[in-house]
Amino acid sequence: IGRAVQSHAQVRRLIHMRTIHLGPEELLVAAKVELDSTLTFVQVAAIVDEVEGLIRAEVPTAERIYLEPAVWDETRISG
């Protein structure tokens, strides 16, 4: 999943990620990803959709995906 997220050209960094199995064939993925701070809202929404598609192509059981776009701040270790 991490490789799929980071494979998108607009994702600068996978800050952190959590996965939870909701059932034998259902996975929840939650991740915070660094994107360029100059992107528009429409661009960010499109990138999120594209990254979700990359994750689902790699792991079809990832039915629920929540991506939080962020700008990396080294002073905030927790992301």
Side-chain angles (χ1 to χ4, degrees), residues 25-52:
E25 296 295 322
E26 187 178 2
L27 183 67
L28 179 143
V29 178
K32 184 175 236 182
V33 294
E34 179 186 15
L35 301 177
D36 186 331
S37 64
T38 64
L39 294 169
T40 67
F41 179 81
V42 172
Q43 290 170 317
V44 169
I47 291 165
V48 166
D49 288 344
E50 292 165 5
V51 172
E52 288 176 353

Side-chain angles (χ1 to χ4, degrees), residues 15-18 32 68 70 72-79:
I15 298 170
H16 66 250
M17 176 178 61
R18 298 288 183 262
K32 184 175 236 182
E68 179 182 353
W72 177 251
D73 180 354
E74 291 188 24
T75 64
R76 291 178 47 207
I77 302 297
S78 66

Side-chain angles (χ1 to χ4, degrees), residues 1 3 6 8-9 11 15 18 21-22 28 31 42-43 47 52 55 59 61 64 72 76:
I1 294 171
R3 281 191 304 268
Q6 294 178 88
H8 193 285
V11 173
I15 298 170
R18 298 288 183 262
H21 284 275
L22 301 174
L28 179 143
V42 172
Q43 290 170 317
I47 291 165
E52 288 176 353
I55 293 170
V59 183
T61 59
R64 299 178 197 267
W72 177 251
R76 291 178 47 207

